[in-house]
Amino acid sequence: MFDAAVSSHSSLAPSSSQPRFHFTPPFNNHSAATLNLPITHLKRCRIRIVSSINPTTNNYTNFQAVLPDKFPEASLSTPDSSPSLPRPLSSSIASNSDGSRLRVAYQGVSGAYSELAAETAYPNCEAVPCDQFDTAFEAVERWLVDRAVLPIENSLGGSIHRNYDLLLRHRLHIVGEVKLPIRHCLLANPGVKIDDLKRVLSHPQALAQCEHTLAKFGVTREAVDDTAGAAKFVAYNELKDAGAVASAAAARIYGLNILAEDIQDDSDNVTRFLMLAREPIIPGSDRPFKTSIVFSLVEGPGALFKALAVFALRHINLEKIESRPLRNSNNGSSKCFDYIFYLDFEASMADSNAQNALRHLEEFATLLRVLGSYPADTRRR
């Protein structure tokens, strides 16, 4: 492990009396990743066809650009512009910008809820679809895009564990969040009625969130990678016996009819998305802030209780705690069930109270990393 300040900004550089937080290098043993890029940017990548349409299965064509292992400097810049070195962001730049000229990665295809979240976070941005969550992280790291907006939890389905793991593996910073209400629609090709449907395709969570409604329709549920991808598959194959659960935007994009709106079983269906950047945000105190950290604990009775008590003693509200298995542990422990804890609390790292809490936490934590201190999304939609 190596020591690093909360921010590289000179005004936040730690003194001998300020806490220092341990960062562990990310686990960058990545396999080949894929990124769907606009045609104007394909000159940077090699192209291959990963799959083709098979009418007897649910597989659909997926043209993907393969990220090369290394990018020469010339491939990432032009003679007139080159990427600057990472620098801290102000809170206004990170989360209150209109997103002009920013390229923002999201997982899925056009019409996905993640695309809507990206456009909500950064209006007027260029939303870039990525095949997998991993790809979106790597796209930011490799300067192919400026930001990524990815889901981290749903109010009904719970946490997206894959993205929690990727936060620790990659060297990105949380610079904001967006809470997006999810309104599912039942989509089908023109001329198809609900009584004609024998099966409905969508992401497993979307199908689960509409379980009772779909049961009343008497259709078979089939899981695919994402909601908008299901709509695309139904439209491109001109299916007459199948529909899709997806957004109203997906219906417009792929020329489908909306047979039923708001078919989710619970109207309180909200997904929280994280806004990720290469550069950390400079914490402020001008608005409600949230801080996300990850840590593991020293062995001993009541260790977790003591760790959480450092916040209670300072009247800092905890929003969420998530435990994940600790992988690639280098502490020599032979214990099978070691865990790390992701914690969100309502305070800015500009607040000395929060700094004291983390200084106190280091007495019980063997690993501590600040994932981001960022403006909380308090807007109602």
Side-chain angles (χ1 to χ4, degrees):
M1 291 191 293
F2 60 95
D3 287 335
V6 175
S7 169
S8 58
H9 194 276
S10 59
S11 66
L12 296 177
S15 66
S16 59
S17 62
Q18 290 178 314
R20 297 176 67 83
F21 308 109
H22 298 291
F23 288 65
T24 55
F27 308 116
N28 285 325
N29 299 322
H30 304 307
S31 57
T34 57
L35 171 67
N36 294 319
L37 291 173
I39 194 72
T40 55
H41 295 275
L42 292 181
K43 62 184 179 181
R44 299 178 180 174
C45 305
R46 298 179 279 117
I47 306 299
R48 72 180 178 193
I49 297 176
V50 177
S51 61
S52 58
I53 294 177
N54 184 344
T56 62
T57 69
N58 289 332
N59 297 325
Y60 50 88
T61 302
N62 197 357
F63 295 92
Q64 298 171 336
V66 181
L67 295 175
D69 293 334
K70 295 181 179 179
F71 285 91
E73 289 294 328
S75 68
L76 295 177
S77 60
T78 64
D80 297 327
S81 66
S82 59
S84 58
L85 293 175
R87 62 196 182 283
L89 297 169
S90 70
S91 60
S92 60
I93 292 175
S95 60
N96 199 30
S97 168
D98 66 358
S100 299
R101 296 181 297 279
L102 286 180
R103 304 188 72 235
V104 181
Y106 68 92
Q107 188 275 329
V109 300
S110 186
Y113 292 107
S114 292
E115 181 184 36
L116 179 57
E119 293 172 345
T120 301
Y122 298 105
N124 304 317
C125 72
E126 179 186 351
V128 180
C130 294
D131 186 56
Q132 302 291 335
F133 292 131
D134 313 52
T135 315
F137 275 86
E138 290 198 14
V140 181
E141 285 186 328
R142 299 188 179 199
W143 297 84
L144 295 175
V145 297
D146 302 292
R147 304 281 191 276
V149 174
L150 298 171
I152 195 66
E153 64 174 323
N154 176 265
S155 59
L156 302 180
S159 300
I160 291 87
H161 294 133
R162 179 60 180 163
N163 283 338
Y164 272 105
D165 295 339
L166 290 171
L167 282 172
L168 189 60
R169 182 179 299 178
H170 291 270
R171 197 187 299 271
L172 296 182
H173 304 272
I174 304 172
V175 296
E177 65 176 5
V178 174
K179 294 175 182 175
L180 186 72
I182 304 300
R183 301 181 61 186
H184 292 308
C185 299
L186 179 61
L187 313 180
N189 281 298
V192 176
K193 300 179 181 178
I194 292 180
D195 293 340
D196 300 326
L197 299 179
K198 294 181 174 58
R199 56 196 178 111
V200 171
L201 287 64
S202 194
H203 187 277
Q205 277 207 16
L207 294 174
Q209 292 165 9
C210 305
E211 180 179 5
H212 298 306
T213 304
L214 295 177
K216 288 192 299 184
F217 294 152
V219 294
T220 301
R221 298 184 290 274
E222 295 184 9
V224 296
D225 288 342
D226 58 86
T227 56
K232 180 179 179 180
F233 179 76
V234 169
Y236 281 24
N237 288 278
E238 300 181 353
L239 300 179
K240 301 300 182 183
D241 67 338
V245 173
S247 66
R252 293 191 298 271
I253 292 169
Y254 301 113
L256 299 176
N257 286 342
I258 298 178
L259 302 183
E261 293 183 282
D262 292 330
I263 64 171
Q264 60 273 4
D265 298 329
D266 193 325
S267 59
D268 186 20
N269 186 10
V270 179
T271 297
R272 184 167 73 100
F273 294 81
L274 297 180
M275 301 152 62
L276 303 174
R278 288 179 296 272
E279 306 87 2
I281 191 173
I282 299 174
S285 56
D286 57 329
R287 68 185 80 176
F289 261 69
K290 179 186 293 186
T291 298
S292 297
I293 63 173
V294 58
F295 62 93
S296 63
L297 298 171
V298 178
E299 291 278 350
L304 181 57
F305 169 80
K306 295 174 185 176
L308 300 182
V310 307
F311 300 97
L313 290 171
R314 294 169 177 85
H315 304 287
I316 297 176
N317 186 46
L318 303 183
E319 271 208 354
K320 180 177 174 63
I321 184 169
E322 183 78 30
S323 63
R324 297 291 295 148
L326 177 59
R327 302 175 182 177
N328 300 328
S329 176
N330 297 318
N331 59 10
S333 172
S334 59
K335 185 178 178 182
C336 295
F337 295 98
D338 281 333
Y339 286 89
I340 53 176
F341 298 90
Y342 293 83
L343 187 68
D344 296 341
F345 59 87
E346 294 178 351
S348 169
M349 284 308 301
D351 185 352
S352 60
N353 203 32
Q355 294 176 19
N356 290 335
L358 294 195
R359 183 188 294 115
H360 193 178
L361 180 61
E362 281 200 303
E363 296 178 16
F364 317 106
T366 58
L367 177 151
L368 178 60
R369 178 178 167 191
V370 178
L371 298 171
S373 188
Y374 49 93
D377 185 4
T378 57
R379 294 169 290 181
R380 293 186 179 183
R381 295 180 180 84

